[in-house]
Amino acid sequence: MRKRIFQMITTILLLVTICGQTIYATTSSEIQSEIDEKEEEMEQNQQELDEIEENIDALEDEQAEIEDEIEVLTTAIVEVMASIELLEGDIEVLEGDIEQAELDLADAIAKEEQQYADTMVRIQVMYEKNDNSYISMLMESKSLSDLFTRVEYIQQVYDYDNQMLEEYQQTKLEVAQLKEELEIEEAELEAAKEECELEKAELEAMVAELQVVSEEYEAQIADAQAQADTYAAQIREQNEAIRQLEQDRQEALEREEAEANPGGTGGTTTGGTNSSGGNKYTGSAYTIDTSIINNASGSDAGKQVALYAVQFLGNPYVMGGTSLTNGTDCSGFTQSVYKQFGVSIPRTSYSQRTVGTEVSYAEAQPGDIICYAGHVAIYVGGGLIVHASSAKTGIKISNATYRTIITVRRVL
């Protein structure tokens, strides 16, 4: 009986002890491990996304070149069509000239034939009648002066007949030559027109081929964009998961601190407090002594970039964003900052690894772009960077060596 009562009391005490404590299955260090794992996955996805976006940029550039070539060829087709139209107009004019030349030639031939026929008829009549009219007319001369006058008249009649015949023959020859020249010119224009039509057909075939290529690029871009959308969605989900894990880790830290200091005044936070609805924080990550920038070695232009960039500390991080005030991601932050200084750099972190000139980290100066795997930041001096870090922390200051540096790029 006593043994049974003792067992009951022991069981009750054990239950009270268990009920009086909250059992936590996950510690802050375990949550941190999950966060690190998620960030690794997100970085890998970001790298894949950057590579896809780089591929999309390349495909769009190539497609733009194809479209430019199509535009050039289309312009050439229009010019060839205009040439064909002009040639057709010239051919039409020549056909009219040839038709008129044929009429003129027929008229000249008819007049020549008529003059020849008239002369032959006159000669035939004189022969058949044994007409000695010219001799009689000369014999009837009353004086030497009259004789010469009659001889001159006979010569004039002869010369007139001969002149008219020669003129008709010359006219016929000239009109025939003109008709031949016009026909040659028409043949040349017809040949030129055929060449233009052949060129037009070739240009149209080239345009058709390029349009097929452009459509293929369009399909590749669409496929790549679909992949990019998938990676972007995964990154957003991972960002949200990391945000939740960060919140869980903070709670775990506060709980562990409370357990380590029972009866204390409450735990302290690490890294500032989140303002309602945005990435506004207090603490050293969101403030910087500008003398660090001003006193660093480097160009005035680079320092101006750094001083401008730190104005946006605490503003939110938004995947795919480019607004320095309403939300931006890491590469959108660097791109938008440099845009204010009239400098255009690529959109993705992957592409930004090749901008400007590479320098070593030991030579880094304010304004230089520090590139990491799937991430970029702006160096401000003193071993510090300003960057759009994550959805949890927004735009903040960090140690430049907080992650492995891939390259340092000097743009100004």
Side-chain angles (χ1 to χ4, degrees):
M1 185 68 178
R2 287 180 180 177
K3 184 177 180 181
R4 184 176 298 174
I5 293 171
F6 177 77
Q7 288 176 343
M8 289 177 63
I9 293 171
T10 303
T11 301
I12 291 170
L13 290 173
L14 181 60
L15 287 172
V16 169
T17 302
I18 293 173
C19 293
Q21 296 178 353
T22 303
I23 299 175
Y24 297 99
T26 307
T27 65
S28 61
S29 60
E30 290 172 335
I31 295 174
Q32 184 61 55
S33 296
E34 289 186 51
I35 291 173
D36 293 341
E37 184 179 344
K38 288 289 183 184
E39 285 182 342
E40 263 184 49
E41 292 174 0
M42 189 174 68
E43 287 175 10
Q44 181 63 35
N45 284 336
Q46 183 65 54
Q47 187 172 355
E48 294 289 343
L49 177 60
D50 290 344
E51 291 176 358
I52 290 172
E53 288 179 342
E54 181 76 10
N55 186 39
I56 290 174
D57 289 342
L59 289 171
E60 287 178 341
D61 288 343
E62 292 173 11
Q63 186 187 31
E65 291 177 2
I66 295 294
E67 292 295 333
D68 288 344
E69 192 170 349
I70 289 175
E71 185 176 351
V72 170
L73 291 175
T74 302
T75 301
I77 289 172
V78 172
E79 292 175 354
V80 170
M81 290 176 66
S83 298
I84 291 173
E85 187 175 347
L86 290 173
L87 287 169
E88 288 175 342
D90 292 342
I91 290 170
E92 185 178 353
V93 171
L94 279 176
E95 287 174 346
D97 292 342
I98 291 171
E99 185 178 350
Q100 183 61 49
E102 289 174 343
L103 294 174
D104 293 342
L105 180 60
D107 184 59
I109 291 172
K111 288 181 178 179
E112 179 197 12
E113 291 174 348
Q114 184 63 46
Q115 180 69 18
Y116 179 77
D118 291 344
T119 303
M120 292 304 294
V121 167
R122 185 165 59 251
I123 292 172
Q124 184 178 0
V125 169
M126 291 174 61
Y127 176 78
E128 289 176 351
K129 291 182 177 182
N130 194 17
D131 190 352
N132 295 318
S133 56
Y134 286 134
I135 297 174
S136 299
M137 184 176 64
L138 292 175
M139 294 300 294
E140 292 174 357
S141 301
K142 297 181 179 181
S143 65
L144 185 60
S145 174
D146 187 27
L147 175 62
F148 288 152
T149 300
R150 292 172 185 268
V151 170
E152 185 178 359
Y153 171 76
I154 293 170
Q155 184 64 45
Q156 287 177 348
V157 171
Y158 172 78
D159 290 344
Y160 174 78
D161 285 343
N162 190 51
Q163 180 183 351
M164 291 301 295
L165 183 59
E166 288 179 356
E167 286 180 0
Y168 293 146
Q169 288 176 340
Q170 183 64 28
T171 300
K172 182 182 73 172
L173 179 61
E174 290 175 356
V175 173
Q177 289 177 342
L178 175 61
K179 179 175 178 290
E180 183 180 1
E181 291 172 1
L182 291 173
E183 287 174 345
I184 291 171
E185 188 174 353
E186 182 187 24
E188 291 174 352
L189 290 176
E190 290 285 0
K193 178 185 173 185
E194 289 178 6
E195 290 177 3
C196 285
E197 289 175 341
L198 179 61
E199 184 179 359
K200 176 174 173 284
E202 290 175 350
L203 289 171
E204 288 174 341
M206 292 172 65
V207 168
E209 291 176 2
L210 289 174
Q211 285 174 337
V212 171
V213 175
S214 179
E215 290 171 0
E216 291 174 354
Y217 275 112
E218 191 70 34
Q220 293 180 46
I221 291 169
D223 290 342
Q225 189 59 58
Q227 295 178 23
D229 291 343
T230 300
Y231 278 112
Q234 291 177 358
I235 290 169
R236 285 193 294 271
E237 291 174 1
Q238 288 163 341
N239 263 321
E240 178 58 27
I242 290 171
R243 187 195 66 77
Q244 185 60 51
L245 287 170
E246 286 282 4
Q247 184 176 342
D248 294 344
R249 187 180 73 87
Q250 184 66 27
E251 292 174 356
L253 284 170
E254 292 173 355
R255 183 183 66 249
E256 289 166 1
E257 186 173 351
E259 290 173 352
N261 299 284
T265 58
T268 60
T269 60
T270 59
T273 58
N274 191 351
S275 66
S276 59
N279 290 311
K280 294 288 185 179
Y281 296 84
T282 59
S284 60
Y286 300 95
T287 59
I288 185 170
D289 184 352
T290 55
S291 64
I292 294 175
I293 300 173
N294 291 322
N295 295 333
S297 62
S299 67
D300 289 339
K303 292 178 182 179
Q304 289 301 315
V305 169
L307 288 169
Y308 180 76
V310 298
Q311 295 180 51
F312 304 99
L313 288 171
N315 286 347
Y317 175 100
V318 174
M319 174 60 65
T322 57
S323 172
L324 297 173
T325 53
N326 297 325
T328 180
D329 57 20
C330 65
S331 56
F333 175 70
T334 52
Q335 184 189 53
S336 296
V337 168
Y338 270 99
K339 184 178 180 181
Q340 294 299 315
F341 294 86
V343 178
S344 176
I345 62 175
R347 174 65 182 85
T348 65
S349 59
Y350 179 82
S351 300
Q352 290 179 14
R353 294 181 194 174
T354 60
V355 300
T357 304
E358 184 175 27
V359 297
S360 67
Y361 172 64
E363 299 171 310
Q365 298 174 358
D368 290 348
I369 297 177
I370 309 292
C371 301
Y372 309 89
H375 192 65
V376 287
I378 294 176
Y379 188 70
V380 296
L384 302 176
I385 56 171
V386 57
H387 60 137
S389 177
S390 68
K392 177 69 176 175
T393 57
I395 299 173
K396 69 172 189 174
I397 296 292
S398 297
N399 288 322
T401 56
Y402 85 112
R403 288 170 55 187
T404 302
I405 295 173
I406 293 177
T407 182
V408 180
R409 313 301 302 187
R410 180 160 299 157
V411 181
L412 292 175

